[in-house]
Amino acid sequence: MSESLNGKGLALIPRAEAKQTMKEFKSDQEVRWCPGCGDYAILAAVQSFMPELGIKRENTVFVSGIGCSSRFPYYLNTYGFHSIHGRAPAIATGLAASRPDLSVWVITGDGDALSIGGNHLIHSLRRNVNLNILLFNNRIYGLTKGQYSPTSEIGKITKSTPMGSLDKPFNPISLALGAEAGFVARTLDSDRKHLQSVLREAVAHRGTSLVEIYQNCNIFNDGAFEMMKDPETRDAITVRLEHGQPIVFADQAVRLARTGGVEVVPRASVREEEILVHDVHNPDPSLAFALSRLDEPAFAHVPIGIFRSVDRPSYDQLMNEQVAAATTQKGQGSLTDLLHGGDTWRIG
Amino acid sequence: MSESLNGKGLALIPRAEAKQTMKEFKSDQEVRWCPGCGDYAILAAVQSFMPELGIKRENTVFVSGIGCSSRFPYYLNTYGFHSIHGRAPAIATGLAASRPDLSVWVITGDGDALSIGGNHLIHSLRRNVNLNILLFNNRIYGLTKGQYSPTSEIGKITKSTPMGSLDKPFNPISLALGAEAGFVARTLDSDRKHLQSVLREAVAHRGTSLVEIYQNCNIFNDGAFEMMKDPETRDAITVRLEHGQPIVFADQAVRLARTGGVEVVPRASVREEEILVHDVHNPDPSLAFALSRLDEPAFAHVPIGIFRSVDRPSYDQLMNEQVAAATTQKGQGSLTDLLHGGDTWRIG
Amino acid sequence: MTKQVQQLDRVIIRFAGDSGDGMQLTGDRFTAETAEFGNDLSTLPNFPAEIRAPAGTLPGVSSFQLHFADHDILTPGDAPNVLVAMNPAALKANLSDLPRGADIIANSDEFTKRNLAKVGYTESPLDDESLSEWRVHSVPLTSLTVKALEDFDISKKDAERAKNMFALGLLSWLYHRPVEATIRFIESKFAKKPDIAKSNVAAFNAGWNYGETTEAFSVSYEIKPAKLAPGIYRNISGNQALAYGLIAASVQAKLPLFLGSYPITPASDILHELSKHKRFGIRTFQAEDEIAGVGAALGASFGGALGVTTTSGPGVALKAETVGLAVTTELPLIVVDVQRAGPSTGMPTKTEQTDLLMALYGRNGESPIPVVAPATPSDCFAIAVEAARIALKYRTPVMLLSDGYLANGSEPWKLPEIDDLPDISVDFTTESNSDDGTFLPFKRDAETLARPWAVPGTPGLEHRIGGIEKADGTGNISYDPNNHDLMVRLRQAKIDGIDVPDLEVDDPSGSARVLVLGWGSTYGPIAAALRRVRKAGGQVAQAHLRHLNPFPKNIGEVLKSYDKVLLPEINLGQLALLLRAKFLVDIISYNRVRGLPFKAEELAGVIQDVIDSE
Amino acid sequence: MTKQVQQLDRVIIRFAGDSGDGMQLTGDRFTAETAEFGNDLSTLPNFPAEIRAPAGTLPGVSSFQLHFADHDILTPGDAPNVLVAMNPAALKANLSDLPRGADIIANSDEFTKRNLAKVGYTESPLDDESLSEWRVHSVPLTSLTVKALEDFDISKKDAERAKNMFALGLLSWLYHRPVEATIRFIESKFAKKPDIAKSNVAAFNAGWNYGETTEAFSVSYEIKPAKLAPGIYRNISGNQALAYGLIAASVQAKLPLFLGSYPITPASDILHELSKHKRFGIRTFQAEDEIAGVGAALGASFGGALGVTTTSGPGVALKAETVGLAVTTELPLIVVDVQRAGPSTGMPTKTEQTDLLMALYGRNGESPIPVVAPATPSDCFAIAVEAARIALKYRTPVMLLSDGYLANGSEPWKLPEIDDLPDISVDFTTESNSDDGTFLPFKRDAETLARPWAVPGTPGLEHRIGGIEKADGTGNISYDPNNHDLMVRLRQAKIDGIDVPDLEVDDPSGSARVLVLGWGSTYGPIAAALRRVRKAGGQVAQAHLRHLNPFPKNIGEVLKSYDKVLLPEINLGQLALLLRAKFLVDIISYNRVRGLPFKAEELAGVIQDVIDSE
Ligand SMILES: Cc1ncc(C[n+]2csc(CCOP(=O)(O)OP(=O)(O)O)c2C)c(N)n1
Ligand SMILES: Cc1ncc(C[n+]2csc(CCOP(=O)(O)OP(=O)(O)O)c2C)c(N)n1
Ligand code: SF4
Ligand code: SF4
Ligand SMILES: [Mg+2]
Ligand SMILES: [Mg+2]
């Protein structure tokens, strides 16, 4: 078990008495995604990951919005809330803020989180409630049968954009960093080990953790991440970010650019000290932001792993501290005192 | 008149025949802000700036949401739409996308734009419709009488947060850059010259321009920007960004930091070449983002001016090009052809 | 071998299979052939839950029902005469709808142990006695198809996939459908993959030949073309008709159409369709959410476009605040609600009429808006033009209530003459409307109570509008109590005064004492039920509302001239509530909220009961 | 000089001045003195448009009306007996409400040329004959105050600011109010600025002495304490009572209260108030918008809290989709709508009853929810507890319809005995509710039809809920048509079956043929009107609805037992529509939508007309 599991993220959540199994985390509901959908791999990764946390299953809640991905909670034998389109972060915020003893997960899609739900997402990031947000990014609207999404590439031809989409997509990592996120990571549906390693850290972080998971929709956007999976291309574009490690991949390295930002250069051409050493705890998000721009243009280079993991007090923690402080300072509220607290007078 | 006024931002908007005056831009409505409100200064700055643009007054539209600031359109003798809370960017998007011959302005507040309207704001930025968004940031909800806003500092004591607010505020500039904004700037209510110089460039930019205007609410958040106005402090913290110029202020200079981001150092301690030269056209937003972090912690240093001004085709332009292309390629639509276009058969 | 040919007057076929089996496509093609042949027809696609469930399971079943006849028909039919079942799940899911004696054409290849188990069959129903009350035709569709395509250079999977074309060929033979258009269709659909195109054509032909040459089917059927009104026809679904209606409205209004929309089932296809027709000057904007969709549409309206937004139930709820802004700023706007089963997410692919009261009252304050509803898929065309007419003439948002049944169902549509379409063009105000030369944006037209519409770009008419209460005439912000009362009443009076055609009553007997009233998509089932009742001697009148607000002026009179008024609705009595309140008439409601259209037979029984209880 | 003392049974005073003149504070303090003295009272604050308009203009006028009496009273009064006008704008804005003969106390210092011009007076009305029908007392309040404070070490501006305290002192003398509490109040309010405190006390005393010693006022007035029911009283506004009621509900339910809210006039004060009481375990969350506010509240409910959201009209529209989710997931939730004048932004500070139909129908699908409404400011306390009781017992969102008039108006409130408050605690489900040991989240209580509430953290009851239609019992996703129909009806039946106390009718004559029915904040004006009518010999019954959905079981009977039912509403007839539809009773509506409460006199006339037309 990773050491970070003793981190604050799970500190307030009761621990399971016995060791749990992956099977216990499977619900009795039949899984209903298209055969081949990347969601299956993510589900299996999560189901097999959960026991490792050692927290009570009944203190785990998955909240989702609407979309193919948002069916996820049905398949986990925990508490679950399949809510409405885009609003899962808001609902989860109320839950997590009032129940610090729960491990609250948000499952969302690129449409759910970034289109209709964009505002709740950015606010939960800056607010830093103790949530683990898994954003399944398939760069398409799956459930409504294939319209372009806010992460689709410009020029995307879909049912709603027969001549190609016009708008520049969001880079979810950049957006999250711009929204004061404390924990931001990216991983891939097909790389279970990496996915789980990222989840491990996300859970350990107390506050809102955003994990973008590239997910293949083989029906409406097949192969969107093929370049990161194809052995021919994958190593040349995938930049694995590891805390404390120099950022190198294939025969390339990343260093600070003189015009700001970062740049990829042949490893052989730079001195060791010039190579950026990744620091997820850098209080200044600027470098993480710069790294997030490496895949501009799309798939030039794609960093995966944890971009940023910086602690600050979580909203729920602060909220509960205020409640506690108010109670300590003035004593537990008494209804009689409250009602009689103003200017009163007696008649008769 | 600035050369940039010949930029693309106004290219499609009909030009006024005669020279216009500030007076012509004043409506007959009595201005109803609290005496001393920063909104007055901004109004005067805009009214005196408009004639300079030389476009037809009737082709100018101000759209606003709800808030003290959002009363702005009533006071300008142009077309105006005082809409609903947070939705002005959406309404303006429909207007600007269907009427490229209009100069469309959005007037919004920190609550209007960043709280309820956050999603529309970030989407209009990535979409890049031809809008000039003026965000009056007084770091408070004025109209509803003083609750904290998404730009209020942590610990803010207001009616709704008697023990202090808990959430980290947005940095509007960082947020906008994370949302793929093409034009982002910041200015101050009380500095008319600077304000107008920023507006000049914002207008010249075809696409969405976001201008954050620090605005004093003397009733509910008086002196929020005092440090930037007080002669004692102002020069030591205000970083004026000017394209092509080294970023220096007082006896300080800004340079790239070794841990990513930028840092402020005594000017005397650095070589001239080390000092950052501001480039608003840098295609990589990372450096602009780093600059936006200079006021972390708040008011450590506050850059004002244009952070980023990078051209890309505006949404309305692309949309209209598609309409034009479809028409050129297949000819103007004919209703008869459309209805008869499928498999038809004749009876009788 | 000569085969027997039997004459039928109507047939209901249901194609059912796995989501991946291409049943919607098969149904569409069979429909096209049938339309070309000249039968009247009506269709009912039935999708599974939104996500493709695992192959072979019950939730994964997709079906398409087609009713065609030698006379005009009104519904896709209650109960199929023929079920094409591509796998055990398709059989199981649909069997309960199948009347005894109906034909079942089952793809026996798929009745494997594994597939049977998936849906809880322990033994194959094709082999035991359980289907003895139906006429079962076991056909190894998959293997026949694969066999037929042996010589093609395609994968086994692709060969197997063509089995729906084999089935289509077989059914086309069985009902004497013309095949050329289908072959052309396949060729063009797979134009980029000639091997697939050829093999699909071959599968289709093989299906046809299988019917023609084997002894499996000894009878084929002929259904004469229907004697419909002369004209040019095409088959059309409600969503497509609605999109075309909006285009027509734009043309007839001489205003560019701006659609602001966010995808949602079952409304998305209107967005898809409109986005194809940019050469009409149409701009389609896929917004970040429903609020932005309607906001952008309203912004475009302010700029002088025909602003439209399309959505479904939950999306309408989100648009409420902006629609309220449109009400108070008195700008034209069309809000299309393709109703689906609620509340909340409900059953997105199922139909319902449960948004009527939300359409009327789902906003804060007194916020009246007109509501119209199409009666049939093709009526979606006319109702869209009507919605635009009202919106533009009265400067008001209009709610158009379609539903999932109309949206996806289709029927032959006699194409309107373009010249017969109403001229709904508007005059923008270009000059001052007051003595002192100022512009009064809320000075109303004496007749319609509409306010002037002056769009940005018009010199001298610069003005500001907004969501705060406005002074009558000047439109300036006003908190004056009496002005508010006046404005509330003026907005209401404007809507109440909209010119709406009188309600027409159909009573062939001339002496009916019972009126059956309907609105929206229940038209077909009600009319079909009435045919049955009347055939059996029942005297009963029918009237159907296309205008739900305001009501036709004569409706009170109509209601009061019958002893009983029966109102079937796919809700818990929403229109009934309105009529009862307004006319104090004791409407008899019949409500079923099953996510499905009414069945004609079911309604016929209900109607008969009401007549009998006289 | 001895002055005359006159006895009065009731007085209506209106303090009016510029937004910056502190009229609300002055009114509040006068109210507190009056409450302490033991009069019954009722208040009506009236704010200007949201933003402080430029000083001295009409839109900048702020007023506070207080009605107090030696008997119990029901409204803040129709027409003031006394107007305190701090400037020309205050005079002009309020004069039309002032009956002839009323007293005007005007701050003559402010009637300068400039100030007069701002509101269109060419000459001072204090100097010409235009006010001859009123009793005008010109008092140079500002200069008298400045004079009185000459010796204090404060700026001239601060001295001038104290003029409202001078006015308060004068009025306190005029009506024999006890002053000690006010002095204490001033001292504690300015505790940190002792100079200001002292000068304000001095101004207050100076005002009192001015009345006592000068000859400007020759008569003072005495209004005996009212004989109210024995008990402990405090003065309370509707918003405060509502907040206290929610706290009481949390205590009585033994559940922590979670408020998710977004500021909006006139609901914000509930958020403000609740945020002060964290020691009750209350969590207040200022969300990014209304949707997040209600979403967070629902999330907290899912976690076992008492989830509450508070808002006003436009905010309710935004919450609709989430409320629908609460309906279908059957979770407790309280949605407070402090209604304000609409549509759209409307007139935020004005009152209205126009959200009733939105509360009932403003969501997609059949989405029934209970609706309750308080009758008076203090009733907001009880209705909040009642809303919580229903929400928790029936696992349903409840809409609580307050309004701007109740929210800001105040009245003496006899404090309830804590022991009399209902126990509304709930039992969370902690064990399986089925034979096979599984948990069935939609297996209902036989009597209430409520589903079990098992909160996260409960071992063995892990389950999933959501917005898609659920199978009866198991709660699994279901697209089964009959299940949907069943669930639609069960949800409706659950709400229809809520236990609601019978409607009580007040008919002192026992033989009234006319019933006046009301709901919400019209209670006071209707009751006051009835007093007048009855005093004049009219026989008329009154009933007031606090439960709008479901209605009390006996309501149909009540309605039918009168010849005529008159229903005054501050809307265009929303409750009337519901009652007409349900009971086919020809309700007589009286509607005025002026953003203001009805006046008792106005209603008395209407009631008399209805009686006379018998
Ligand atoms: C209010 C509302 N608007 C629209 C929809 C329709 N809708 C459902 S899911 C979805 C988008 C799904 O895309 P994404 O979030 O990327 O999820 P995916 O299906 O790709 O996993 C949309 C538009 C809805 N259910 N509710
Ligand atoms: C839907 C809706 N929610 C809430 C409100 C209430 N409201 C009006 S303005 C405002 C916030 C104003 O703050 P800001 O945008 O910063 O503008 P300022 O008044 O400070 O200029 C709020 C919450 C509203 N009018 N509509
Ligand atoms: S549509 Fe795409 S995302 Fe949805 S289940 Fe199918 S493959 Fe997965
Ligand atoms: S409240 Fe603040 S922002 Fe609003 S008008 Fe007054 S000073 Fe300006
Ligand atoms: Mg997606
Ligand atoms: Mg603000």
Side-chain angles (χ1 to χ4, degrees), chain A residues 29-43:
Chain A
Q29 298 297 298
E30 199 174 355
V31 186
R32 291 193 191 161
W33 289 302
C34 306
C37 177
D39 290 348
Y40 283 98
I42 306 174
L43 177 63

PDB file of all heavy atoms in Angstrom, chain A residues 29-43:
ATOM      1  N   GLN A  29     -25.692  -5.032 -10.916  1.00  0.00           N
ATOM      2  CA  GLN A  29     -26.278  -4.523 -12.155  1.00  0.00           C
ATOM      3  C   GLN A  29     -25.431  -4.903 -13.363  1.00  0.00           C
ATOM      4  O   GLN A  29     -24.202  -4.824 -13.329  1.00  0.00           O
ATOM      5  CB  GLN A  29     -26.400  -2.992 -12.093  1.00  0.00           C
ATOM      6  CG  GLN A  29     -27.296  -2.506 -10.987  1.00  0.00           C
ATOM      7  CD  GLN A  29     -28.728  -2.976 -11.177  1.00  0.00           C
ATOM      8  OE1 GLN A  29     -29.362  -2.632 -12.159  1.00  0.00           O
ATOM      9  NE2 GLN A  29     -29.224  -3.808 -10.254  1.00  0.00           N
ATOM     10  N   GLU A  30     -26.122  -5.261 -14.421  1.00  0.00           N
ATOM     11  CA  GLU A  30     -25.442  -5.609 -15.652  1.00  0.00           C
ATOM     12  C   GLU A  30     -24.799  -4.358 -16.260  1.00  0.00           C
ATOM     13  O   GLU A  30     -25.441  -3.313 -16.334  1.00  0.00           O
ATOM     14  CB  GLU A  30     -26.483  -6.153 -16.620  1.00  0.00           C
ATOM     15  CG  GLU A  30     -25.901  -6.954 -17.734  1.00  0.00           C
ATOM     16  CD  GLU A  30     -27.049  -7.562 -18.542  1.00  0.00           C
ATOM     17  OE1 GLU A  30     -28.215  -7.406 -18.143  1.00  0.00           O
ATOM     18  OE2 GLU A  30     -26.763  -8.166 -19.573  1.00  0.00           O
ATOM     19  N   VAL A  31     -23.572  -4.485 -16.665  1.00  0.00           N
ATOM     20  CA  VAL A  31     -22.879  -3.326 -17.226  1.00  0.00           C
ATOM     21  C   VAL A  31     -23.332  -3.112 -18.668  1.00  0.00           C
ATOM     22  O   VAL A  31     -23.350  -4.037 -19.460  1.00  0.00           O
ATOM     23  CB  VAL A  31     -21.351  -3.532 -17.161  1.00  0.00           C
ATOM     24  CG1 VAL A  31     -20.643  -2.262 -17.621  1.00  0.00           C
ATOM     25  CG2 VAL A  31     -20.917  -3.873 -15.742  1.00  0.00           C
ATOM     26  N   ARG A  32     -23.697  -1.894 -18.966  1.00  0.00           N
ATOM     27  CA  ARG A  32     -24.336  -1.647 -20.256  1.00  0.00           C
ATOM     28  C   ARG A  32     -23.649  -0.614 -21.118  1.00  0.00           C
ATOM     29  O   ARG A  32     -24.269   0.352 -21.553  1.00  0.00           O
ATOM     30  CB  ARG A  32     -25.776  -1.179 -20.022  1.00  0.00           C
ATOM     31  CG  ARG A  32     -26.643  -2.259 -19.482  1.00  0.00           C
ATOM     32  CD  ARG A  32     -28.089  -1.849 -19.572  1.00  0.00           C
ATOM     33  NE  ARG A  32     -28.907  -2.779 -18.810  1.00  0.00           N
ATOM     34  CZ  ARG A  32     -30.132  -2.521 -18.392  1.00  0.00           C
ATOM     35  NH1 ARG A  32     -30.692  -1.370 -18.677  1.00  0.00           N
ATOM     36  NH2 ARG A  32     -30.806  -3.424 -17.702  1.00  0.00           N
ATOM     37  N   TRP A  33     -22.392  -0.753 -21.332  1.00  0.00           N
ATOM     38  CA  TRP A  33     -21.746   0.101 -22.323  1.00  0.00           C
ATOM     39  C   TRP A  33     -21.575  -0.680 -23.620  1.00  0.00           C
ATOM     40  O   TRP A  33     -21.673  -1.920 -23.633  1.00  0.00           O
ATOM     41  CB  TRP A  33     -20.377   0.559 -21.814  1.00  0.00           C
ATOM     42  CG  TRP A  33     -20.437   1.554 -20.707  1.00  0.00           C
ATOM     43  CD1 TRP A  33     -21.044   2.771 -20.728  1.00  0.00           C
ATOM     44  CD2 TRP A  33     -19.842   1.430 -19.399  1.00  0.00           C
ATOM     45  NE1 TRP A  33     -20.859   3.420 -19.521  1.00  0.00           N
ATOM     46  CE2 TRP A  33     -20.127   2.611 -18.692  1.00  0.00           C
ATOM     47  CE3 TRP A  33     -19.091   0.441 -18.764  1.00  0.00           C
ATOM     48  CZ2 TRP A  33     -19.702   2.841 -17.381  1.00  0.00           C
ATOM     49  CZ3 TRP A  33     -18.660   0.664 -17.463  1.00  0.00           C
ATOM     50  CH2 TRP A  33     -18.966   1.835 -16.783  1.00  0.00           C
ATOM     51  N   CYS A  34     -21.271   0.001 -24.680  1.00  0.00           N
ATOM     52  CA  CYS A  34     -21.016  -0.694 -25.940  1.00  0.00           C
ATOM     53  C   CYS A  34     -19.811  -1.617 -25.744  1.00  0.00           C
ATOM     54  O   CYS A  34     -18.843  -1.234 -25.067  1.00  0.00           O
ATOM     55  CB  CYS A  34     -20.648   0.277 -27.056  1.00  0.00           C
ATOM     56  SG  CYS A  34     -21.831   1.590 -27.295  1.00  0.00           S
ATOM     57  N   PRO A  35     -19.864  -2.758 -26.362  1.00  0.00           N
ATOM     58  CA  PRO A  35     -18.691  -3.631 -26.303  1.00  0.00           C
ATOM     59  C   PRO A  35     -17.475  -2.863 -26.824  1.00  0.00           C
ATOM     60  O   PRO A  35     -17.582  -2.154 -27.831  1.00  0.00           O
ATOM     61  CB  PRO A  35     -19.061  -4.769 -27.252  1.00  0.00           C
ATOM     62  CG  PRO A  35     -20.552  -4.727 -27.362  1.00  0.00           C
ATOM     63  CD  PRO A  35     -20.969  -3.304 -27.157  1.00  0.00           C
ATOM     64  N   GLY A  36     -16.402  -2.955 -26.097  1.00  0.00           N
ATOM     65  CA  GLY A  36     -15.183  -2.281 -26.544  1.00  0.00           C
ATOM     66  C   GLY A  36     -14.984  -0.900 -25.968  1.00  0.00           C
ATOM     67  O   GLY A  36     -13.927  -0.289 -26.143  1.00  0.00           O
ATOM     68  N   CYS A  37     -15.979  -0.401 -25.294  1.00  0.00           N
ATOM     69  CA  CYS A  37     -15.895   0.962 -24.732  1.00  0.00           C
ATOM     70  C   CYS A  37     -14.796   1.034 -23.684  1.00  0.00           C
ATOM     71  O   CYS A  37     -14.643   0.128 -22.858  1.00  0.00           O
ATOM     72  CB  CYS A  37     -17.227   1.330 -24.103  1.00  0.00           C
ATOM     73  SG  CYS A  37     -17.198   2.950 -23.297  1.00  0.00           S
ATOM     74  N   GLY A  38     -14.062   2.135 -23.694  1.00  0.00           N
ATOM     75  CA  GLY A  38     -12.995   2.324 -22.723  1.00  0.00           C
ATOM     76  C   GLY A  38     -13.493   2.385 -21.280  1.00  0.00           C
ATOM     77  O   GLY A  38     -12.717   2.198 -20.333  1.00  0.00           O
ATOM     78  N   ASP A  39     -14.775   2.646 -21.118  1.00  0.00           N
ATOM     79  CA  ASP A  39     -15.323   2.721 -19.761  1.00  0.00           C
ATOM     80  C   ASP A  39     -15.150   1.406 -18.998  1.00  0.00           C
ATOM     81  O   ASP A  39     -15.003   1.412 -17.771  1.00  0.00           O
ATOM     82  CB  ASP A  39     -16.808   3.091 -19.804  1.00  0.00           C
ATOM     83  CG  ASP A  39     -17.037   4.539 -20.245  1.00  0.00           C
ATOM     84  OD1 ASP A  39     -16.065   5.305 -20.285  1.00  0.00           O
ATOM     85  OD2 ASP A  39     -18.188   4.888 -20.559  1.00  0.00           O
ATOM     86  N   TYR A  40     -15.174   0.299 -19.732  1.00  0.00           N
ATOM     87  CA  TYR A  40     -15.021  -0.997 -19.057  1.00  0.00           C
ATOM     88  C   TYR A  40     -13.689  -1.085 -18.333  1.00  0.00           C
ATOM     89  O   TYR A  40     -13.611  -1.547 -17.193  1.00  0.00           O
ATOM     90  CB  TYR A  40     -15.106  -2.142 -20.069  1.00  0.00           C
ATOM     91  CG  TYR A  40     -16.505  -2.461 -20.532  1.00  0.00           C
ATOM     92  CD1 TYR A  40     -16.987  -1.963 -21.736  1.00  0.00           C
ATOM     93  CD2 TYR A  40     -17.347  -3.263 -19.762  1.00  0.00           C
ATOM     94  CE1 TYR A  40     -18.264  -2.240 -22.171  1.00  0.00           C
ATOM     95  CE2 TYR A  40     -18.635  -3.556 -20.190  1.00  0.00           C
ATOM     96  CZ  TYR A  40     -19.101  -3.048 -21.394  1.00  0.00           C
ATOM     97  OH  TYR A  40     -20.365  -3.335 -21.816  1.00  0.00           O
ATOM     98  N   ALA A  41     -12.645  -0.655 -19.041  1.00  0.00           N
ATOM     99  CA  ALA A  41     -11.311  -0.753 -18.455  1.00  0.00           C
ATOM    100  C   ALA A  41     -11.212   0.125 -17.207  1.00  0.00           C
ATOM    101  O   ALA A  41     -10.635  -0.265 -16.191  1.00  0.00           O
ATOM    102  CB  ALA A  41     -10.262  -0.330 -19.485  1.00  0.00           C
ATOM    103  N   ILE A  42     -11.819   1.299 -17.296  1.00  0.00           N
ATOM    104  CA  ILE A  42     -11.753   2.197 -16.141  1.00  0.00           C
ATOM    105  C   ILE A  42     -12.518   1.589 -14.967  1.00  0.00           C
ATOM    106  O   ILE A  42     -12.064   1.615 -13.820  1.00  0.00           O
ATOM    107  CB  ILE A  42     -12.305   3.587 -16.499  1.00  0.00           C
ATOM    108  CG1 ILE A  42     -11.589   4.137 -17.737  1.00  0.00           C
ATOM    109  CG2 ILE A  42     -12.156   4.544 -15.319  1.00  0.00           C
ATOM    110  CD1 ILE A  42     -12.158   5.457 -18.255  1.00  0.00           C
ATOM    111  N   LEU A  43     -13.661   1.028 -15.278  1.00  0.00           N
ATOM    112  CA  LEU A  43     -14.464   0.402 -14.221  1.00  0.00           C
ATOM    113  C   LEU A  43     -13.667  -0.697 -13.523  1.00  0.00           C
ATOM    114  O   LEU A  43     -13.594  -0.758 -12.292  1.00  0.00           O
ATOM    115  CB  LEU A  43     -15.761  -0.163 -14.809  1.00  0.00           C
ATOM    116  CG  LEU A  43     -16.673  -0.906 -13.826  1.00  0.00           C
ATOM    117  CD1 LEU A  43     -17.168   0.032 -12.716  1.00  0.00           C
ATOM    118  CD2 LEU A  43     -17.870  -1.525 -14.558  1.00  0.00           C
TER     119      LEU A  43
END
